[in-house]
Amino acid sequence: MFEGDSVHYWASPVEAKLCGGEEIVLVGAGNSAGQAVVFLAPYIKRLTMIVRGAGLEASMSRYLIDRIRSLDNVDIRVRSEIIELHGDRAGVLEQATVRDNASGAISQLPARHVFMFIGAEPNTAWLNGCLALDNKGYILTGLGPADAQMPAPLPLQTSLSRVFAIGDVRSGSTKRVASAVGEGAAVVAQIHSILGAATMT
């Protein structure tokens, strides 16, 4: 309901302008989340970070943590998560319901926009034994075809020649939606290469 207007998966100058003077919520605790907080803070009234873990130290670089803690208009809520979003009938976000997972306490945050910077753990266990994965579970690409139909490996090609991987799930990718979109466009040409080679054989 709120996607496309109030829920965002990246932070660019466009989103910063939309958020001008507003109270916003950002979910995540990795470096991309930290960079987004630092970028958005000068534009907005107040930003609340929602962090599932006990703090930022396990997942964010020290320099970003120090920058964030120096910002007067940024609050950090640890061991917490958003459980519900509320808005008007026109789809304009007004509040986020947040649960403190340590105490069980429920609170309401005013929020015109929510930024999502989560998903650092791949859900690929079901692929193990089918595709080659790295030691963190991300799909390895650029390995080359298994059937030797192509003369050289393609950058987004997995260990199965006709299976490709893009976006966050790919090992070595930049974990951002915009990067996934770019890879999605690039993979089309690589798929055509595979199909063209199959037609010629």
Side-chain angles (χ1 to χ4, degrees):
M1 176 179 179
F2 300 111
E3 289 195 6
D5 177 79
S6 303
V7 177
H8 312 278
Y9 299 92
W10 62 89
S12 75
V14 173
E15 287 73 40
K17 187 174 181 179
L18 286 173
C19 295
E22 302 280 2
E23 296 190 57
I24 68 172
V25 174
L26 186 143
V27 182
N31 279 346
S32 59
Q35 290 162 359
V37 170
V38 171
F39 172 71
L40 291 169
Y43 297 92
I44 51 89
K45 180 179 179 181
R46 179 149 299 278
L47 184 152
T48 303
M49 287 187 75
I50 306 297
V51 178
R52 278 186 303 181
L56 301 176
E57 285 75 12
S59 54
M60 189 180 294
S61 299
R62 182 80 250 167
Y63 81 95
L64 280 171
I65 295 173
D66 293 341
R67 287 281 305 278
I68 290 168
R69 287 181 174 159
S70 71
L71 297 169
D72 293 334
N73 62 340
V74 174
D75 297 322
I76 303 172
R77 293 201 180 188
V78 299
R79 296 188 178 93
S80 299
E81 61 183 320
I82 293 176
I83 58 173
E84 197 170 356
L85 296 175
H86 311 273
D88 63 22
R89 292 182 180 179
V92 176
L93 182 64
E94 296 174 337
Q95 285 186 325
T97 300
V98 177
R99 179 174 59 214
D100 184 316
N101 290 328
S103 67
I106 304 293
S107 60
Q108 304 288 333
L109 284 177
R112 177 61 183 85
H113 296 272
V114 172
F115 288 81
M116 305 293 290
F117 285 86
I118 57 175
E121 296 181 8
N123 183 21
T124 56
W126 61 282
L127 288 172
N128 196 19
C130 177
L131 297 180
L133 308 176
D134 67 15
N135 60 3
K136 294 183 178 179
Y138 293 98
I139 299 172
L140 291 164
T141 55
L143 299 178
D147 57 14
Q149 287 185 344
M150 294 298 294
L154 298 171
L156 301 173
Q157 191 174 30
T158 70
S159 55
L160 291 179
S161 64
R162 297 189 182 198
V163 178
F164 293 75
I166 64 168
D168 287 10
V169 77
R170 188 176 69 81
S171 180
S173 69
T174 301
K175 312 305 183 195
R176 300 291 293 275
V177 171
S179 297
V181 171
E183 289 183 1
V187 79
V188 173
Q190 295 180 35
I191 291 171
H192 281 301
S193 296
I194 289 284
L195 295 176
T199 302
M200 293 173 64
T201 55

mmCIF file of all heavy atoms in Angstrom, residues 152-196:
data_model
loop_
_atom_site.group_PDB
_atom_site.id
_atom_site.type_symbol
_atom_site.label_atom_id
_atom_site.label_comp_id
_atom_site.label_asym_id
_atom_site.label_seq_id
_atom_site.Cartn_x
_atom_site.Cartn_y
_atom_site.Cartn_z
ATOM 1 N N ALA A 152 33.749 -18.829 -23.037
ATOM 2 C CA ALA A 152 34.285 -18.148 -21.850
ATOM 3 C C ALA A 152 33.147 -17.918 -20.866
ATOM 4 O O ALA A 152 31.994 -17.788 -21.263
ATOM 5 C CB ALA A 152 34.924 -16.814 -22.240
ATOM 6 N N PRO A 153 33.448 -17.871 -19.570
ATOM 7 C CA PRO A 153 32.385 -17.617 -18.583
ATOM 8 C C PRO A 153 31.807 -16.217 -18.747
ATOM 9 O O PRO A 153 32.503 -15.279 -19.099
ATOM 10 C CB PRO A 153 33.113 -17.767 -17.246
ATOM 11 C CG PRO A 153 34.551 -17.536 -17.546
ATOM 12 C CD PRO A 153 34.762 -18.047 -18.937
ATOM 13 N N LEU A 154 30.528 -16.113 -18.479
ATOM 14 C CA LEU A 154 29.844 -14.830 -18.500
ATOM 15 C C LEU A 154 29.740 -14.313 -17.064
ATOM 16 O O LEU A 154 29.573 -15.098 -16.125
ATOM 17 C CB LEU A 154 28.457 -14.975 -19.130
ATOM 18 C CG LEU A 154 28.468 -15.443 -20.593
ATOM 19 C CD1 LEU A 154 27.061 -15.766 -21.059
ATOM 20 C CD2 LEU A 154 29.102 -14.385 -21.489
ATOM 21 N N PRO A 155 29.834 -12.990 -16.856
ATOM 22 C CA PRO A 155 29.933 -12.442 -15.495
ATOM 23 C C PRO A 155 28.802 -12.816 -14.541
ATOM 24 O O PRO A 155 29.027 -12.958 -13.345
ATOM 25 C CB PRO A 155 29.968 -10.923 -15.732
ATOM 26 C CG PRO A 155 30.495 -10.769 -17.123
ATOM 27 C CD PRO A 155 29.982 -11.941 -17.889
ATOM 28 N N LEU A 156 27.591 -12.979 -15.060
ATOM 29 C CA LEU A 156 26.446 -13.262 -14.198
ATOM 30 C C LEU A 156 25.992 -14.714 -14.284
ATOM 31 O O LEU A 156 24.972 -15.088 -13.719
ATOM 32 C CB LEU A 156 25.282 -12.321 -14.540
ATOM 33 C CG LEU A 156 25.609 -10.833 -14.394
ATOM 34 C CD1 LEU A 156 24.463 -9.967 -14.908
ATOM 35 C CD2 LEU A 156 25.925 -10.479 -12.950
ATOM 36 N N GLN A 157 26.793 -15.534 -14.942
ATOM 37 C CA GLN A 157 26.469 -16.938 -15.130
ATOM 38 C C GLN A 157 26.892 -17.749 -13.903
ATOM 39 O O GLN A 157 27.978 -17.559 -13.358
ATOM 40 C CB GLN A 157 27.215 -17.436 -16.365
ATOM 41 C CG GLN A 157 26.823 -18.796 -16.880
ATOM 42 C CD GLN A 157 27.542 -19.098 -18.175
ATOM 43 O OE1 GLN A 157 28.650 -18.618 -18.393
ATOM 44 N NE2 GLN A 157 26.917 -19.880 -19.030
ATOM 45 N N THR A 158 26.013 -18.641 -13.457
ATOM 46 C CA THR A 158 26.321 -19.474 -12.299
ATOM 47 C C THR A 158 27.056 -20.733 -12.752
ATOM 48 O O THR A 158 27.431 -20.873 -13.917
ATOM 49 C CB THR A 158 25.031 -19.875 -11.564
ATOM 50 O OG1 THR A 158 24.293 -20.800 -12.369
ATOM 51 C CG2 THR A 158 24.177 -18.656 -11.256
ATOM 52 N N SER A 159 27.217 -21.673 -11.843
ATOM 53 C CA SER A 159 27.889 -22.924 -12.172
ATOM 54 C C SER A 159 27.062 -23.800 -13.113
ATOM 55 O O SER A 159 27.578 -24.746 -13.691
ATOM 56 C CB SER A 159 28.217 -23.697 -10.887
ATOM 57 O OG SER A 159 27.045 -23.891 -10.110
ATOM 58 N N LEU A 160 25.774 -23.494 -13.284
ATOM 59 C CA LEU A 160 24.948 -24.118 -14.315
ATOM 60 C C LEU A 160 24.824 -23.134 -15.465
ATOM 61 O O LEU A 160 24.366 -22.002 -15.267
ATOM 62 C CB LEU A 160 23.567 -24.478 -13.770
ATOM 63 C CG LEU A 160 23.515 -25.618 -12.740
ATOM 64 C CD1 LEU A 160 22.081 -25.847 -12.277
ATOM 65 C CD2 LEU A 160 24.101 -26.898 -13.311
ATOM 66 N N SER A 161 25.206 -23.544 -16.651
ATOM 67 C CA SER A 161 25.401 -22.602 -17.753
ATOM 68 C C SER A 161 24.161 -21.787 -18.114
ATOM 69 O O SER A 161 24.280 -20.669 -18.586
ATOM 70 C CB SER A 161 25.906 -23.337 -18.992
ATOM 71 O OG SER A 161 24.920 -24.255 -19.448
ATOM 72 N N ARG A 162 22.979 -22.327 -17.899
ATOM 73 C CA ARG A 162 21.777 -21.602 -18.281
ATOM 74 C C ARG A 162 21.038 -21.010 -17.087
ATOM 75 O O ARG A 162 19.860 -20.652 -17.186
ATOM 76 C CB ARG A 162 20.849 -22.511 -19.089
ATOM 77 C CG ARG A 162 21.508 -22.958 -20.393
ATOM 78 C CD ARG A 162 20.559 -23.660 -21.299
ATOM 79 N NE ARG A 162 21.261 -24.089 -22.497
ATOM 80 C CZ ARG A 162 20.667 -24.436 -23.625
ATOM 81 N NH1 ARG A 162 19.357 -24.380 -23.707
ATOM 82 N NH2 ARG A 162 21.368 -24.823 -24.660
ATOM 83 N N VAL A 163 21.709 -20.903 -15.983
ATOM 84 C CA VAL A 163 21.155 -20.264 -14.787
ATOM 85 C C VAL A 163 22.021 -19.059 -14.442
ATOM 86 O O VAL A 163 23.251 -19.183 -14.341
ATOM 87 C CB VAL A 163 21.102 -21.241 -13.597
ATOM 88 C CG1 VAL A 163 20.578 -20.534 -12.352
ATOM 89 C CG2 VAL A 163 20.229 -22.447 -13.938
ATOM 90 N N PHE A 164 21.385 -17.906 -14.255
ATOM 91 C CA PHE A 164 22.089 -16.669 -13.958
ATOM 92 C C PHE A 164 21.625 -16.133 -12.606
ATOM 93 O O PHE A 164 20.532 -16.445 -12.140
ATOM 94 C CB PHE A 164 21.822 -15.618 -15.047
ATOM 95 C CG PHE A 164 22.415 -15.975 -16.374
ATOM 96 C CD1 PHE A 164 21.834 -16.946 -17.183
ATOM 97 C CD2 PHE A 164 23.566 -15.354 -16.818
ATOM 98 C CE1 PHE A 164 22.381 -17.287 -18.403
ATOM 99 C CE2 PHE A 164 24.128 -15.684 -18.051
ATOM 100 C CZ PHE A 164 23.528 -16.658 -18.844
ATOM 101 N N ALA A 165 22.453 -15.327 -11.977
ATOM 102 C CA ALA A 165 22.103 -14.723 -10.693
ATOM 103 C C ALA A 165 22.415 -13.234 -10.733
ATOM 104 O O ALA A 165 23.462 -12.820 -11.249
ATOM 105 C CB ALA A 165 22.869 -15.386 -9.555
ATOM 106 N N ILE A 166 21.510 -12.439 -10.190
ATOM 107 C CA ILE A 166 21.706 -10.990 -10.110
ATOM 108 C C ILE A 166 21.271 -10.492 -8.735
ATOM 109 O O ILE A 166 20.580 -11.183 -7.993
ATOM 110 C CB ILE A 166 20.908 -10.243 -11.203
ATOM 111 C CG1 ILE A 166 19.391 -10.446 -10.996
ATOM 112 C CG2 ILE A 166 21.340 -10.666 -12.596
ATOM 113 C CD1 ILE A 166 18.532 -9.536 -11.832
ATOM 114 N N GLY A 167 21.682 -9.294 -8.400
ATOM 115 C CA GLY A 167 21.203 -8.635 -7.185
ATOM 116 C C GLY A 167 21.891 -9.092 -5.921
ATOM 117 O O GLY A 167 23.003 -9.625 -5.946
ATOM 118 N N ASP A 168 21.219 -8.891 -4.806
ATOM 119 C CA ASP A 168 21.809 -9.137 -3.492
ATOM 120 C C ASP A 168 22.282 -10.568 -3.306
ATOM 121 O O ASP A 168 23.239 -10.821 -2.579
ATOM 122 C CB ASP A 168 20.794 -8.818 -2.387
ATOM 123 C CG ASP A 168 20.565 -7.325 -2.213
ATOM 124 O OD1 ASP A 168 21.047 -6.555 -3.059
ATOM 125 O OD2 ASP A 168 19.910 -6.943 -1.237
ATOM 126 N N VAL A 169 21.613 -11.511 -3.934
ATOM 127 C CA VAL A 169 21.945 -12.924 -3.719
ATOM 128 C C VAL A 169 23.244 -13.333 -4.400
ATOM 129 O O VAL A 169 23.807 -14.382 -4.097
ATOM 130 C CB VAL A 169 20.768 -13.815 -4.213
ATOM 131 C CG1 VAL A 169 20.764 -13.914 -5.741
ATOM 132 C CG2 VAL A 169 20.801 -15.180 -3.570
ATOM 133 N N ARG A 170 23.761 -12.491 -5.285
ATOM 134 C CA ARG A 170 24.980 -12.826 -6.022
ATOM 135 C C ARG A 170 26.224 -12.461 -5.225
ATOM 136 O O ARG A 170 26.322 -11.369 -4.688
ATOM 137 C CB ARG A 170 25.000 -12.097 -7.379
ATOM 138 C CG ARG A 170 26.134 -12.533 -8.298
ATOM 139 C CD ARG A 170 26.026 -11.857 -9.647
ATOM 140 N NE ARG A 170 26.300 -10.439 -9.544
ATOM 141 C CZ ARG A 170 27.538 -9.920 -9.491
ATOM 142 N NH1 ARG A 170 28.596 -10.702 -9.511
ATOM 143 N NH2 ARG A 170 27.684 -8.612 -9.421
ATOM 144 N N SER A 171 27.160 -13.383 -5.159
ATOM 145 C CA SER A 171 28.411 -13.138 -4.453
ATOM 146 C C SER A 171 29.176 -11.986 -5.108
ATOM 147 O O SER A 171 29.337 -11.948 -6.329
ATOM 148 C CB SER A 171 29.275 -14.405 -4.484
ATOM 149 O OG SER A 171 30.490 -14.197 -3.806
ATOM 150 N N GLY A 172 29.605 -11.035 -4.296
ATOM 151 C CA GLY A 172 30.385 -9.911 -4.806
ATOM 152 C C GLY A 172 29.576 -8.749 -5.322
ATOM 153 O O GLY A 172 30.139 -7.735 -5.747
ATOM 154 N N SER A 173 28.257 -8.844 -5.290
ATOM 155 C CA SER A 173 27.433 -7.742 -5.798
ATOM 156 C C SER A 173 27.351 -6.616 -4.779
ATOM 157 O O SER A 173 27.556 -6.817 -3.587
ATOM 158 C CB SER A 173 26.018 -8.235 -6.121
ATOM 159 O OG SER A 173 25.327 -8.578 -4.930
ATOM 160 N N THR A 174 27.029 -5.426 -5.275
ATOM 161 C CA THR A 174 26.728 -4.302 -4.399
ATOM 162 C C THR A 174 25.294 -4.468 -3.928
ATOM 163 O O THR A 174 24.380 -4.569 -4.738
ATOM 164 C CB THR A 174 26.872 -2.965 -5.153
ATOM 165 O OG1 THR A 174 28.214 -2.867 -5.640
ATOM 166 C CG2 THR A 174 26.580 -1.784 -4.240
ATOM 167 N N LYS A 175 25.087 -4.545 -2.613
ATOM 168 C CA LYS A 175 23.772 -4.897 -2.078
ATOM 169 C C LYS A 175 22.848 -3.679 -2.064
ATOM 170 O O LYS A 175 22.514 -3.110 -1.033
ATOM 171 C CB LYS A 175 23.903 -5.488 -0.669
ATOM 172 C CG LYS A 175 24.956 -6.572 -0.536
ATOM 173 C CD LYS A 175 24.777 -7.724 -1.525
ATOM 174 C CE LYS A 175 25.818 -8.793 -1.287
ATOM 175 N NZ LYS A 175 25.928 -9.734 -2.402
ATOM 176 N N ARG A 176 22.439 -3.260 -3.247
ATOM 177 C CA ARG A 176 21.526 -2.129 -3.406
ATOM 178 C C ARG A 176 20.535 -2.451 -4.516
ATOM 179 O O ARG A 176 20.869 -3.132 -5.492
ATOM 180 C CB ARG A 176 22.297 -0.848 -3.770
ATOM 181 C CG ARG A 176 23.330 -0.419 -2.754
ATOM 182 C CD ARG A 176 22.677 0.063 -1.463
ATOM 183 N NE ARG A 176 21.934 1.286 -1.657
ATOM 184 C CZ ARG A 176 22.476 2.507 -1.606
ATOM 185 N NH1 ARG A 176 23.766 2.661 -1.353
ATOM 186 N NH2 ARG A 176 21.726 3.584 -1.778
ATOM 187 N N VAL A 177 19.304 -1.957 -4.403
ATOM 188 C CA VAL A 177 18.284 -2.208 -5.408
ATOM 189 C C VAL A 177 18.718 -1.682 -6.775
ATOM 190 O O VAL A 177 18.535 -2.340 -7.794
ATOM 191 C CB VAL A 177 16.937 -1.576 -4.992
ATOM 192 C CG1 VAL A 177 15.933 -1.644 -6.135
ATOM 193 C CG2 VAL A 177 16.375 -2.284 -3.769
ATOM 194 N N ALA A 178 19.314 -0.492 -6.796
ATOM 195 C CA ALA A 178 19.730 0.098 -8.068
ATOM 196 C C ALA A 178 20.744 -0.792 -8.781
ATOM 197 O O ALA A 178 20.713 -0.926 -10.014
ATOM 198 C CB ALA A 178 20.316 1.486 -7.831
ATOM 199 N N SER A 179 21.629 -1.427 -8.021
ATOM 200 C CA SER A 179 22.611 -2.334 -8.618
ATOM 201 C C SER A 179 21.921 -3.562 -9.202
ATOM 202 O O SER A 179 22.287 -4.040 -10.289
ATOM 203 C CB SER A 179 23.646 -2.770 -7.577
ATOM 204 O OG SER A 179 24.365 -1.659 -7.111
ATOM 205 N N ALA A 180 20.934 -4.079 -8.490
ATOM 206 C CA ALA A 180 20.198 -5.245 -8.985
ATOM 207 C C ALA A 180 19.476 -4.915 -10.287
ATOM 208 O O ALA A 180 19.427 -5.737 -11.211
ATOM 209 C CB ALA A 180 19.212 -5.723 -7.931
ATOM 210 N N VAL A 181 18.917 -3.715 -10.369
ATOM 211 C CA VAL A 181 18.237 -3.296 -11.597
ATOM 212 C C VAL A 181 19.222 -3.250 -12.758
ATOM 213 O O VAL A 181 18.941 -3.735 -13.866
ATOM 214 C CB VAL A 181 17.562 -1.921 -11.407
ATOM 215 C CG1 VAL A 181 17.037 -1.384 -12.737
ATOM 216 C CG2 VAL A 181 16.425 -2.025 -10.393
ATOM 217 N N GLY A 182 20.411 -2.692 -12.520
ATOM 218 C CA GLY A 182 21.431 -2.639 -13.559
ATOM 219 C C GLY A 182 21.872 -4.025 -14.003
ATOM 220 O O GLY A 182 22.038 -4.292 -15.201
ATOM 221 N N GLU A 183 22.061 -4.928 -13.041
ATOM 222 C CA GLU A 183 22.449 -6.295 -13.380
ATOM 223 C C GLU A 183 21.327 -6.994 -14.146
ATOM 224 O O GLU A 183 21.580 -7.806 -15.040
ATOM 225 C CB GLU A 183 22.804 -7.071 -12.119
ATOM 226 C CG GLU A 183 24.115 -6.613 -11.484
ATOM 227 C CD GLU A 183 24.489 -7.448 -10.263
ATOM 228 O OE1 GLU A 183 23.747 -8.384 -9.913
ATOM 229 O OE2 GLU A 183 25.558 -7.164 -9.684
ATOM 230 N N GLY A 184 20.081 -6.687 -13.788
ATOM 231 C CA GLY A 184 18.949 -7.277 -14.495
ATOM 232 C C GLY A 184 18.931 -6.884 -15.958
ATOM 233 O O GLY A 184 18.590 -7.695 -16.830
ATOM 234 N N ALA A 185 19.309 -5.646 -16.236
ATOM 235 C CA ALA A 185 19.392 -5.203 -17.633
ATOM 236 C C ALA A 185 20.568 -5.860 -18.347
ATOM 237 O O ALA A 185 20.458 -6.298 -19.494
ATOM 238 C CB ALA A 185 19.522 -3.680 -17.689
ATOM 239 N N ALA A 186 21.701 -5.973 -17.636
ATOM 240 C CA ALA A 186 22.902 -6.546 -18.254
ATOM 241 C C ALA A 186 22.753 -8.032 -18.543
ATOM 242 O O ALA A 186 23.302 -8.542 -19.525
ATOM 243 C CB ALA A 186 24.107 -6.305 -17.340
ATOM 244 N N VAL A 187 22.008 -8.733 -17.717
ATOM 245 C CA VAL A 187 21.910 -10.188 -17.876
ATOM 246 C C VAL A 187 21.142 -10.570 -19.138
ATOM 247 O O VAL A 187 21.335 -11.665 -19.672
ATOM 248 C CB VAL A 187 21.277 -10.834 -16.619
ATOM 249 C CG1 VAL A 187 19.762 -10.675 -16.634
ATOM 250 C CG2 VAL A 187 21.667 -12.296 -16.494
ATOM 251 N N VAL A 188 20.302 -9.673 -19.641
ATOM 252 C CA VAL A 188 19.537 -9.984 -20.851
ATOM 253 C C VAL A 188 20.474 -10.294 -22.013
ATOM 254 O O VAL A 188 20.286 -11.291 -22.737
ATOM 255 C CB VAL A 188 18.590 -8.823 -21.207
ATOM 256 C CG1 VAL A 188 17.920 -9.073 -22.558
ATOM 257 C CG2 VAL A 188 17.545 -8.637 -20.118
ATOM 258 N N ALA A 189 21.511 -9.477 -22.189
ATOM 259 C CA ALA A 189 22.462 -9.706 -23.275
ATOM 260 C C ALA A 189 23.213 -11.022 -23.081
ATOM 261 O O ALA A 189 23.487 -11.741 -24.048
ATOM 262 C CB ALA A 189 23.451 -8.543 -23.355
ATOM 263 N N GLN A 190 23.523 -11.347 -21.818
ATOM 264 C CA GLN A 190 24.232 -12.599 -21.551
ATOM 265 C C GLN A 190 23.352 -13.811 -21.838
ATOM 266 O O GLN A 190 23.817 -14.831 -22.356
ATOM 267 C CB GLN A 190 24.735 -12.602 -20.115
ATOM 268 C CG GLN A 190 25.776 -11.521 -19.853
ATOM 269 C CD GLN A 190 26.281 -11.524 -18.422
ATOM 270 O OE1 GLN A 190 26.420 -12.559 -17.802
ATOM 271 N NE2 GLN A 190 26.563 -10.330 -17.918
ATOM 272 N N ILE A 191 22.073 -13.705 -21.518
ATOM 273 C CA ILE A 191 21.138 -14.795 -21.829
ATOM 274 C C ILE A 191 21.012 -14.981 -23.335
ATOM 275 O O ILE A 191 20.983 -16.108 -23.851
ATOM 276 C CB ILE A 191 19.762 -14.524 -21.187
ATOM 277 C CG1 ILE A 191 19.873 -14.635 -19.666
ATOM 278 C CG2 ILE A 191 18.710 -15.489 -21.718
ATOM 279 C CD1 ILE A 191 18.645 -14.176 -18.906
ATOM 280 N N HIS A 192 20.985 -13.857 -24.076
ATOM 281 C CA HIS A 192 20.932 -13.960 -25.539
ATOM 282 C C HIS A 192 22.165 -14.653 -26.091
ATOM 283 O O HIS A 192 22.085 -15.396 -27.079
ATOM 284 C CB HIS A 192 20.775 -12.562 -26.162
ATOM 285 C CG HIS A 192 19.379 -12.033 -26.099
ATOM 286 N ND1 HIS A 192 18.300 -12.683 -26.681
ATOM 287 C CD2 HIS A 192 18.865 -10.919 -25.531
ATOM 288 C CE1 HIS A 192 17.204 -11.990 -26.462
ATOM 289 N NE2 HIS A 192 17.510 -10.913 -25.762
ATOM 290 N N SER A 193 23.326 -14.430 -25.447
ATOM 291 C CA SER A 193 24.543 -15.112 -25.888
ATOM 292 C C SER A 193 24.404 -16.626 -25.749
ATOM 293 O O SER A 193 24.783 -17.392 -26.636
ATOM 294 C CB SER A 193 25.740 -14.636 -25.055
ATOM 295 O OG SER A 193 25.985 -13.274 -25.259
ATOM 296 N N ILE A 194 23.837 -17.052 -24.621
ATOM 297 C CA ILE A 194 23.638 -18.481 -24.385
ATOM 298 C C ILE A 194 22.646 -19.057 -25.414
ATOM 299 O O ILE A 194 22.878 -20.110 -26.007
ATOM 300 C CB ILE A 194 23.109 -18.719 -22.958
ATOM 301 C CG1 ILE A 194 24.207 -18.450 -21.928
ATOM 302 C CG2 ILE A 194 22.555 -20.120 -22.795
ATOM 303 C CD1 ILE A 194 25.232 -19.543 -21.830
ATOM 304 N N LEU A 195 21.528 -18.364 -25.601
ATOM 305 C CA LEU A 195 20.518 -18.848 -26.530
ATOM 306 C C LEU A 195 21.038 -18.874 -27.966
ATOM 307 O O LEU A 195 20.751 -19.800 -28.732
ATOM 308 C CB LEU A 195 19.260 -17.982 -26.440
ATOM 309 C CG LEU A 195 18.522 -18.033 -25.095
ATOM 310 C CD1 LEU A 195 17.353 -17.055 -25.095
ATOM 311 C CD2 LEU A 195 18.049 -19.434 -24.784
ATOM 312 N N GLY A 196 21.835 -17.854 -28.319
ATOM 313 C CA GLY A 196 22.408 -17.816 -29.663
ATOM 314 C C GLY A 196 23.361 -18.960 -29.909
ATOM 315 O O GLY A 196 23.365 -19.580 -30.969
#
